[in-house]
Amino acid sequence: MGTRSTTRFFSTTARKLASSPSVSTSHLPKFPPKESLYVKDREIPTTPFDPEVWASLQPPPPSALSAFSSRIGLGSVLGEDKEDAEVVLQACTHPSFLHLWKQHNPNGGKTPQTNGQLAAIGNSLMGLFATEWLRATYPYLPTRVLKAAVTAHVGPLTCANVAQEMGATPLLRWHRMRETPSKPALLHSDALASIPRSLTALVYQRRSLPSARQFVQSYFLSREVDIRSMIKFADPKKALLEMINKLQREKPKSRLLKETGRYSNSPVFVVGIFSGEDEIGQGFGSSLKMAEYRAAEDALHRVYLTRVPSHLVQIPSQTFPLGVGDVFRQASEQPYTAPELAQSEIMYASSGKSFS
């Protein structure tokens, strides 16, 4: 590549970088950097200068970090001065970024702080908040379905989607890692998911555990998740009989409630399942067997998806103090009344697997 072509290439890349929302020319070093310029009698480096790699190594402007914390409602928690901006930058720096940074800074320097520990703490807190909230809201939900619901609320994919909605994508600093025998491949969504987890840990450290729970409630637990689709049965009639026996109710019986077109090409049957005089489920189908199958499913869903009204939901983490400080400090606790334990492990023959 000639001298003019090289200069034109760097100029075009510089204009692209200047127009990028994650790289501002006001806080960056002079471009092009000295590493990219040809100097006579200087040894040519083994690896050519890459403008994209150089841009990824530059930190986002402090104004972008401040705007990000204010946009997500954490401006008063994370602050807006230089030190607080570094905390936000740390929350947006994945540990994989160190590999890229060390490659291009062999002489050392100030190593950037990453969100490895923050993400681990935030992940544990989010799992705790989601588990206790789902257990208090759906007391009869089977354990395996509960785990799937927790993943749907605060899992990696959800965290990555929330980070995108927050506008954290331009602030993320990471480096793609290939799969190794000991570690899976690191993708962009995996690195992006670490930002909401780190923010949860920062709220916990700077405010309190209830404040972190409120943050998770606002961004994650308030979302609508279709839990009904997570409950699958291989034999709902057998599962219903097992549930009725454990709840010590009368044996379920099927009754034909309505029918039409029995001798036509499109008959419809409506079947209800009763336990004593109480109708516990109802279903329809083109055959009696299909209607009875759906009625048993409906009866099981009515139990498993029993939801406590939101104003009556009480969770254990509500008892912790609201002030700043450690959760073990001496302070007045919030009122809490423990609910009665429900028999959640009453699901049998779900997706070909039974529950003990």
Side-chain angles (χ1 to χ4, degrees):
M1 184 182 291
T3 305
R4 292 185 179 180
S5 301
T6 305
T7 305
R8 189 181 303 108
F9 173 72
F10 286 149
S11 300
T12 304
T13 306
R15 287 196 298 269
K16 292 181 180 179
L17 296 177
S19 61
S20 175
S22 61
V23 180
S24 174
T25 57
S26 61
H27 78 292
L28 292 179
K30 184 178 180 180
F31 190 87
K34 60 181 181 180
E35 294 86 357
S36 65
L37 301 178
Y38 172 75
V39 179
K40 188 178 181 180
D41 299 332
R42 191 180 70 176
E43 182 181 357
I44 300 177
T46 56
T47 57
F49 175 75
D50 190 342
E52 295 184 359
V53 174
W54 179 86
S56 63
L57 291 171
Q58 309 308 312
S63 58
L65 299 173
S66 177
F68 171 69
S69 60
S70 299
R71 182 169 59 249
I72 62 178
L74 298 181
S76 60
V77 177
L78 303 180
E80 299 181 357
D81 56 10
K82 182 178 180 180
E83 294 183 358
D84 293 323
E86 292 180 356
V87 174
V88 181
L89 179 61
Q90 178 184 355
C92 298
T93 304
H94 192 266
S96 61
F97 178 75
L98 291 179
H99 180 73
L100 181 65
W101 185 86
K102 291 179 180 179
Q103 283 184 344
H104 295 80
N105 292 273
N107 298 327
K110 184 179 180 182
T111 304
Q113 294 183 333
T114 64
N115 61 8
Q117 294 184 349
L118 290 175
I121 296 175
N123 186 45
S124 300
L125 290 173
M126 294 169 68
L128 166 66
F129 299 147
T131 302
E132 64 177 2
W133 180 78
L134 285 169
R135 174 56 68 196
T137 305
Y138 300 96
Y140 294 98
L141 207 61
T143 301
R144 292 187 180 180
V145 181
L146 176 66
K147 292 180 179 179
V150 170
T151 303
H153 278 90
V154 296
L157 183 60
T158 304
C159 288
N161 293 335
V162 171
Q164 289 180 343
E165 296 174 4
M166 290 178 173
T169 304
L171 306 178
L172 175 65
R173 299 200 295 174
W174 73 296
H175 179 62
R176 188 182 300 274
M177 306 292 289
R178 295 182 178 181
E179 183 179 2
T180 63
S182 58
K183 292 183 180 180
L186 176 65
L187 305 179
H188 181 261
S189 60
D190 301 327
L192 196 60
S194 65
I195 296 181
R197 295 168 178 168
S198 303
L199 294 176
T200 302
L202 286 177
V203 176
Y204 165 67
Q205 291 179 350
R206 300 245 171 161
R207 285 297 178 89
S208 60
L209 188 140
S211 299
R213 180 176 55 81
Q214 182 61 37
F215 175 78
V216 176
Q217 180 72 34
S218 301
Y219 281 95
F220 294 91
L221 303 184
S222 59
R223 295 170 173 260
E224 291 293 334
V225 175
D226 186 14
I227 301 180
R228 186 185 185 92
S229 62
M230 301 178 185
I231 307 176
K232 303 295 183 181
F233 304 97
D235 190 348
K237 293 176 60 178
K238 190 173 183 179
L240 179 62
L241 180 61
E242 181 75 12
M243 183 187 70
I244 290 295
N245 292 336
K246 287 194 174 184
L247 295 179
Q248 298 181 355
R249 297 288 299 272
E250 295 186 28
K251 186 177 180 179
K253 296 182 179 180
S254 303
R255 298 177 187 174
L256 179 62
L257 302 180
K258 298 178 183 179
E259 65 170 294
T260 181
R262 178 184 285 264
Y263 300 105
S264 66
N265 292 331
S266 55
V268 177
F269 301 93
V270 179
V271 173
I273 293 184
F274 293 80
S275 177
E277 298 181 355
D278 300 328
E279 183 181 4
I280 59 177
Q282 190 177 115
F284 70 94
S286 58
S287 64
L288 289 173
K289 186 175 182 180
M290 180 184 294
E292 189 178 20
Y293 183 97
R294 291 177 175 174
E297 273 191 334
D298 181 57
L300 291 169
H301 286 151
R302 291 187 183 187
V303 175
Y304 297 148
L305 299 178
T306 299
R307 182 165 182 168
V308 178
S310 57
H311 65 281
L312 298 179
V313 173
Q314 288 191 336
I315 54 181
S317 63
Q318 289 179 338
T319 62
F320 291 108
L322 298 177
V324 180
D326 188 61
V327 296
F328 299 104
R329 67 187 179 90
Q330 296 294 330
S332 59
E333 296 182 352
Q334 303 296 320
Y336 172 74
T337 302
E340 296 182 1
L341 294 178
Q343 296 186 23
S344 60
E345 290 294 341
I346 55 179
M347 189 174 180
Y348 183 82
S350 170
S351 299
K353 298 181 180 179
S354 61
F355 290 79
S356 57

